[in-house]
């Protein structure tokens, strides 16, 4: 789980109890940044920078109790995104209890000097009744030395009946923003999207960056590997880098929908934005023995965009 642990360097991994006694793992990096992952849902519920500032949104009304998925953080949508299919909305991975994987198959990439935890989900007997496929879903949550948060998913078809299976997927990340009206999303301009608010009809994004003045619920297609969320008021830019995830869902429920959600405060839509690295339009099919591997990496950098000094494209072009 951790390559080198030194208490003097304050880099550590701790398994402890969270809200309602649910197990959670706390990752700490030398620079002071932290992340928290609940085994319930394999769900990242906190990501803080070196100043202790929370970068993810979690609702004050979030219910940390099965079977409700935690409202906020990074729910994992698997094996189904939203209601596109016969399963419960967003699939069942987000409301199952995952285990810590003490002996995961090795990663080819070098993770030396990073703090990480490996989690594992396999279907229960009940899951097999609604989705009759054996799988192993391995999630690695890594905190980098600069406080970057990386989530790697490895999903393997372990069916012994010779059958392939097909699924859709999303990292349903809720970012914390100061004021949704002051936020811009860069990197999705001119792309096609399916509008979840209009029977997933296909449209083409016009204009500049995406800004928010009402409910938005869209699946952008064939998106670039880098997307930026610019928060003017906080002078902060989130950069999402993704591998193997062509789509990006952008969601803010706005006031009316917020009021209809029991686990979400009426005014909280002002302080959150979901940008979800996803594979939806072209579902993934795995034959027995095949594995699908994807990742998203999040970083939060100071931005001076609000003063007009920074070309938003530079944020996307820089590495
Ligand atoms: C988004 C969907 O990903 O998740 C929205 O695009 C949905 O349509 C939202 O409302 C929240 O879903 P849930 O199941 O967590 O309430």
């Amino acid at each position: 789980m951790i390559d080198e642990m030194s208490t003097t360097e304050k880099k550590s991994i701790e398994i402890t109890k969270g809200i309602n006694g649910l197990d959670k793992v706390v990752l700490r990096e030398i620079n002071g940044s932290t992340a928290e992952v609940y085994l319930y849902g394999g769900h990242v519920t906190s990501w803080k920078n070196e100043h202790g500032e929370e970068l993810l949104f979690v609702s004050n009304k979030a219910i940390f109790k099965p079977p409700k998925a935690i409202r906020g953080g990074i729910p994992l949508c698997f094996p189904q995104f939203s209601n596109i299919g016969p399963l419960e909305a967003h699939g069942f991975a987000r409301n199952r209890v995952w285990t810590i994987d003490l002996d995961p198959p090795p990663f080819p990439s070098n993770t030396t000097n990073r703090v990480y935890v490996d989690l594992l989900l396999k279907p229960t007997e009940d899951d097999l009744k609604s989705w009759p496929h054996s799988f192993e879903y391995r999630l690695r949550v890594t905190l980098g030395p600069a406080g970057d948060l990386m989530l790697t998913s490895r999903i393997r078809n372990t069916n012994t009946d010779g059958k392939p299976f097909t699924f859709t997927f999303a990292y349903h990340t809720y970012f914390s923003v100061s004021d949704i009206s002051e936020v811009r999303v860069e990197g999705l301009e001119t792309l096609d999207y399916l509008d979840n608010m209009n029977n997933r009809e296909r449209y083409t994004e016009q204009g500049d960056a995406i800004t928010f003045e009402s409910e938005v619920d869209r699946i952008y297609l064939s998106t670039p590997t880098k997307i930026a969320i610019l928060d003017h008021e906080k002078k902060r830019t989130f950069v999402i880098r993704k591998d193997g995830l062509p789509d990006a869902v952008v969601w803010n429920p706005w006031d009316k929908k917020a009021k209809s959600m029991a686990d979400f405060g009426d005014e909280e839509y002002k302080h959150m934005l979901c940008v979800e690295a996803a594979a939806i339009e072209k579902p993934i099919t795995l034959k027995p023995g095949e594995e699908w591997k994807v990742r998203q990496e999040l970083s939060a950098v100071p931005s001076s965009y609000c003063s007009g000094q920074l070309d938003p494209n530079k944020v996307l072009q820089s590495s």
Side-chain angles (χ1 to χ4, degrees):
M1 279 183 275
I2 178 169
D3 297 298
E4 287 164 30
M5 198 196 304
S6 157
T7 44
T8 51
E9 286 179 326
K10 295 201 189 86
K11 180 162 71 172
S12 68
I13 173 163
E14 185 192 355
I15 301 166
T16 178
K17 295 285 178 198
I19 296 170
N20 290 335
L22 294 175
D23 291 319
K24 74 172 179 184
V25 180
V26 182
L27 306 175
R28 292 191 183 85
E29 250 301 341
I30 298 170
N31 75 345
S33 54
T34 58
E36 294 189 1
V37 193
Y38 273 70
L39 297 195
Y40 177 55
H43 197 132
V44 176
T45 54
S46 172
W47 170 41
K48 289 183 181 165
N49 65 13
E50 67 273 30
H51 308 299
E53 294 165 337
E54 183 56 69
L55 303 170
L56 297 178
F57 165 87
V58 175
S59 171
N60 286 329
K61 293 178 137 187
I63 299 162
F64 285 70
K65 201 172 166 197
K68 185 80 187 153
I70 300 164
R71 175 70 64 196
I74 313 182
L76 299 168
C77 303
F78 172 83
Q80 176 184 297
F81 176 76
S82 188
N83 59 357
I84 308 178
L87 301 178
E88 60 202 272
H90 288 329
F92 50 76
R94 65 175 179 164
N95 48 26
R96 293 293 179 273
V97 179
W98 295 52
T99 55
I100 294 179
D101 191 3
L102 293 171
D103 190 21
F107 265 80
S109 56
N110 184 6
T111 47
T112 310
N113 218 20
R114 292 186 168 205
V115 189
Y116 59 85
V117 64
D118 287 294
L119 302 185
L120 174 62
L121 181 71
K122 294 181 185 181
T124 62
E125 291 290 316
D126 270 355
D127 296 337
L128 289 167
K129 284 179 199 152
S130 58
W131 203 66
H133 303 293
S134 286
F135 66 87
E136 289 175 357
Y137 181 162
R138 291 193 158 78
L139 175 74
R140 176 171 288 189
V141 180
T142 307
L143 200 54
D148 297 352
L149 180 71
M150 200 203 295
L151 271 70
T152 308
S153 291
R154 296 185 290 176
I155 297 172
R156 180 178 288 279
N157 181 336
T158 53
N159 272 339
T160 51
D161 58 6
K163 288 196 180 135
F165 63 64
T166 298
F167 62 90
T168 47
F169 175 91
Y171 288 119
H172 195 313
T173 309
Y174 288 73
F175 292 92
S176 169
V177 298
S178 50
D179 175 356
I180 187 67
S181 314
E182 300 289 320
V183 164
R184 296 161 68 92
V185 176
E186 306 274 354
L188 305 176
E189 308 79 32
T190 73
L191 297 182
D192 281 4
Y193 65 86
L194 309 179
D195 194 343
N196 283 326
M197 292 171 60
N198 196 9
N199 300 317
R200 301 204 174 93
E201 229 174 279
R202 197 176 180 117
Y203 297 91
T204 302
E205 183 60 58
Q206 306 291 337
D208 219 8
I210 299 163
T211 53
F212 301 88
E213 50 191 27
S214 59
E215 185 180 351
V216 171
D217 189 356
R218 299 174 183 169
I219 305 168
Y220 286 86
L221 307 173
S222 305
T223 61
T225 54
K226 219 189 268 188
I227 298 170
I229 303 170
L230 294 92
D231 185 339
H232 287 221
E233 207 173 292
K234 265 259 165 355
K235 296 189 172 61
R236 175 187 290 148
T237 297
F238 290 108
V239 181
I240 304 162
R241 293 180 181 81
K242 56 191 180 61
D243 254 354
L245 296 164
D247 305 323
V249 180
V250 177
W251 181 59
N252 183 292
W254 220 255
D255 54 349
K256 212 164 135 225
K257 178 122 197 233
K259 290 200 176 85
S260 73
M261 292 192 285
D263 59 348
F264 192 88
D266 290 358
E267 303 288 320
E268 285 185 324
Y269 72 93
K270 292 175 182 164
H271 306 298
M272 55 73 70
L273 176 65
C274 288
V275 178
E276 312 168 29
I280 301 167
E281 189 199 21
K282 297 184 182 114
I284 308 301
T285 297
L286 290 178
K287 293 188 195 126
E290 275 185 344
E291 184 177 81
W292 183 68
K293 184 179 167 195
V294 295
R295 68 182 192 125
Q296 89 164 2
E297 191 170 344
L298 308 178
S299 51
V301 293
S303 77
S304 51
Y305 180 69
C306 57
S307 62
Q309 292 162 344
L310 183 64
D311 177 351
N313 287 321
K314 285 191 186 138
V315 174
L316 296 172
Q317 279 153 18
S318 63
S319 61

